[in-house]
Each structure stands twice: as C-alpha cells, then as structure tokens.
Amino acid sequence: MRSKARTVKAPVNSPKDLPNWNYDGSSTGQAPGEDSEVILYPQAIFKDPFRKGNNILVICDCYTPQGEPIPTNKRHAAAKIFEDPAVAKEQTWFGIEQEFTLLQKEVKWPLGWPVGGYPGPQGPYYCGVGADKAWGRAIVDAHYKACIYAGIRVSGINGEVMPGQWEFQVGPCEAISAGDQLWCARYLLERITELAGVVLSLDPKPIEGDWNGAGCHTNYSTKSMREEGGYEVIKKAIEKLGLRHKEHISAYGEGNERRLTGRHETADIHTFSWGVANRGASIRVGRDTEKEGKGYFEDRRPASNMDPYAVTSMIAYTTILYKP
C-alpha cells in the first residue's frame, strides 16, 4: 500500500467532491519514465483517526491518462460485476476475516517469539489472555479503535492460533464497499504497526512447520439466501463454486499453496469440499444456517494477502451470473 497527502480548501463529504490526482508510476513499476503519470480516481472516504478533525482518508483506484484501469486495479472490474442488475438485485453481503502476523522489525520473526527459537506448541494462544499468550494486543486494540473512528464496519477482533497472529473482521458490507473497507482497515493497521515499530505480514504461511497459516475467510450471502428457502440457494451456489474451483484458487492470493495443505484447519488446495461446521472444508456452512434453512456460508480458501475486490466480485459472479 502507498499513500500521499494533499490539502483541500473545505471539508469534503463525498468522493465526487474531490478532483482526480496523480503519482509517478515510474517509481512504482507501474508506468514508463517517458509517460509516468498514473491517475488516482477517488472512490471512498473515511474519517482520518490520525489527523482527526475534518481530515479524511480517501481510497483511490488507478488509471492510465487515457482512462484505462492499470493491471493492478482490481476495483474497476469488480465494480462492473456489482453494478450488473442481477447482482445488484441480490444485495450481496460480505463479512471478511482478516488474519495477520506481527513481526519483530529487526529480525522479521513473530512478535513475542524468542529470536531464532520457538514458543510452546499451539493450543493456549487462540483468543488467549496473558503476557505469555497474547503478544501485540495494544497494537490490535489501537487498530480496532481507529477502524471504529474511521467509520469502518469492524465487527470484532481476536487472537489467533499461532502466537503473534491476530484477526479482525469487517462486515457485513454490501457489494464493492466490502473491498473499500477492508483496504482502508489494512492501511490503518499498517500505519499503526509503523508507529509501534512492528512489521505487518499478510503472508499466508509466515512460519513453516506445525503452525497455522493466515487466511482471509470470506462470509457471503445474497438476498435469496437470507430469505425462506435460502438453504437450497446456498447449496446451488456452492455447487457452482466447486465447478470453478481452479479459477477461484488462482485469484485467492499468492503463496496460498503453502497454506492450503489439508492441515491446520484448511482443505487441500487441489480438492473442493464443503460441510456444515467443518473448518477443514473449502466452504463451511454454519449450524445456524442449516437449522434455520437460510443464512450465509464461509469461503475458507482466500489467503490473508488476497485482493478483496477480486475475491468478492468473483464469488458474486460465480454464484449469480455464471451459467454452467
């Protein structure tokens, strides 16, 4: 992630009130030196928890001077999918569980771990409390408060299975706003870890061996799934996801093959599966959804470094627009 700041003459209430801007794409590897400008299009605004007052944070996506989205701009294509009348009608909701690992700055080793060594085995750390179990809580709590201040729909936090690893949840958010809110929440976390002198890692398997990886489980429902008879809609949607498993895996994050091994609460990357309350499956359906006959499901395949625009729009496309 990158950011820059500019001064405007009056308070801003909408992205439409802001001008486009630009940056030097030749310094980021996104444009040649002889035609270096990449254009920033303002897309979403949030309150700034660092500068406070009337200051805002602006989520932008990136275009060429001719108005074409650059290759790394996944928001443009996602917006087109969410604007499709069939998708808009379904009022897609997403709840995204962002796992991350905090690393010691000088050695790039998890926070709280002895340098070059390992803590005790996994077990006591998940939702753990205490100086020997929860490392980095002050950072995570500061991020939680910053998200609430900014207007992000952060719905919770918890310590994860591997010590030094944490999770926050964003949602439920509708359509493209899920991606906007998760990217802003990631930015806030990177800024707060910067202040704390700690490194944020979104690597899906930061430590090899008998340690859990980091995912970005994506919970999803449509209007039809939330209404009576929704469980049958959910099962048909899951069947479609199985037909496009390889396409989804290819868009679900880099290095995910190191995480999706069939161990540590994951399904094997080459196999599609689903089950009720099964955290070893590709797709998990909750007990409450099965009991009530309607609700949502969880796609457990996305890696912690996934692009939420790509993942959310692909899930919407496959479950609503895709015709086998």
Side-chain angles (χ1 to χ4, degrees), residues 36 39 82 171 193 196 206 212 219-220 234 240 292:
S36 63
I39 312 303
F82 286 120
T193 55
N212 274 38
N219 300 276
Y220 170 72
I234 288 172
K240 284 183 168 185
E292 296 175 14

Side-chain angles (χ1 to χ4, degrees), residues 133-214:
K133 303 178 193 71
W135 301 315
R137 187 183 299 278
I139 292 170
V140 176
D141 272 348
H143 174 249
Y144 197 179
K145 294 172 185 176
C147 285
I148 291 171
Y149 181 93
I152 293 168
R153 295 193 71 173
V154 58
S155 45
I157 60 171
N158 60 267
E160 267 304 330
V161 177
M162 188 183 88
Q165 192 179 86
W166 295 80
E167 173 184 300
F168 66 88
Q169 302 96 31
V170 170
C173 304
E174 187 170 343
I176 198 74
S177 69
D180 292 337
Q181 296 206 30
L182 186 66
W183 272 118
C184 189
R186 285 175 170 178
Y187 173 77
L188 294 178
L189 183 56
E190 189 105 59
R191 286 284 306 275
I192 289 166
T193 55
E194 174 190 319
L195 289 170
V198 170
V199 174
L200 168 65
S201 172
L202 296 183
D203 189 289
K205 186 71 173 179
I207 304 296
E208 296 298 327
D210 196 17
W211 304 98
N212 274 38

Side-chain angles (χ1 to χ4, degrees), residues 54-274:
N54 288 326
N55 296 290
I56 57 173
L57 302 173
V58 184
I59 295 289
C60 301
D61 58 353
C62 303
Y63 296 80
T64 67
Q66 293 73 37
E68 294 295 322
I70 67 172
T72 51
N73 179 356
K74 306 301 182 186
R75 191 186 192 281
H76 179 80
K80 285 189 174 182
I81 291 172
F82 286 120
E83 288 165 3
D84 186 288
V87 177
K89 177 184 175 183
E90 282 291 347
Q91 299 173 17
T92 53
W93 290 3
F94 297 92
I96 304 176
E97 306 170 29
Q98 176 69 70
E99 295 178 342
F100 59 94
T101 309
L102 300 175
L103 303 179
Q104 301 170 56
K105 181 180 177 183
E106 303 303 330
V107 292
K108 302 293 177 68
W109 198 239
L111 196 66
W113 289 35
V115 176
Y118 297 87
Q122 295 183 154
Y125 310 108
Y126 174 66
C127 298
V129 178
D132 58 342
K133 303 178 193 71
W135 301 315
R137 187 183 299 278
I139 292 170
V140 176
D141 272 348
H143 174 249
Y144 197 179
K145 294 172 185 176
C147 285
I148 291 171
Y149 181 93
I152 293 168
R153 295 193 71 173
V154 58
S155 45
I157 60 171
N158 60 267
E160 267 304 330
V161 177
M162 188 183 88
Q165 192 179 86
W166 295 80
E167 173 184 300
F168 66 88
Q169 302 96 31
V170 170
C173 304
E174 187 170 343
I176 198 74
S177 69
D180 292 337
Q181 296 206 30
L182 186 66
W183 272 118
C184 189
R186 285 175 170 178
Y187 173 77
L188 294 178
L189 183 56
E190 189 105 59
R191 286 284 306 275
I192 289 166
T193 55
E194 174 190 319
L195 289 170
V198 170
V199 174
L200 168 65
S201 172
L202 296 183
D203 189 289
K205 186 71 173 179
I207 304 296
E208 296 298 327
D210 196 17
W211 304 98
N212 274 38
C216 210
H217 302 155
T218 302
N219 300 276
Y220 170 72
S221 71
T222 64
K223 188 172 184 288
S224 299
M225 294 175 190
R226 297 188 293 269
E227 294 176 344
E228 294 302 321
Y231 194 39
E232 290 305 312
V233 180
I234 288 172
K235 288 193 285 186
K236 289 177 182 176
I238 293 173
E239 183 179 340
K240 284 183 168 185
L241 288 169
L243 295 175
R244 300 191 73 228
H245 177 62
K246 288 184 179 179
E247 290 88 342
H248 280 254
I249 288 295
S250 69
Y252 274 16
E254 295 181 15
N256 211 11
E257 71 281 353
R258 293 183 283 115
R259 168 180 161 262
L260 296 181
T261 61
R263 299 182 64 216
H264 304 110
E265 301 179 80
T266 70
D268 181 82
I269 194 168
H270 302 293
T271 306
F272 181 84
S273 60
W274 75 278

